[in-house]
Amino acid sequence: MDTTKVGLGAFLLVVSSVLLLAIGANGTGIPVLLGGVAALGMAAGSLLIGVTNDGPTV
């Protein structure tokens, strides 16, 4: 298992999730560009974590 990929993937997931939750909790709405970047960060993070195993990818 590649711990660098897992660490980077977990970091991207946490930062993106916190970004979406913090902006959404304000009640002002999520700016489209910022929401898109956060969604891409979550997708990239989960992809990095999903391809770290030695067997077939999930």
Side-chain angles (χ1 to χ4, degrees):
M1 180 180 294
D2 190 4
T3 56
T4 305
K5 282 185 181 179
V6 172
L8 182 60
F11 176 75
L12 282 171
L13 281 173
V14 169
V15 169
S16 298
S17 298
V18 167
L19 184 65
L20 282 176
L21 289 173
I23 293 171
N26 273 346
T28 60
I30 300 171
V32 175
L33 181 63
L34 199 55
V37 169
L40 286 174
M42 292 178 75
S46 57
L47 182 65
L48 280 172
I49 291 174
V51 298
T52 54
N53 58 353
D54 294 333
T57 56
V58 177

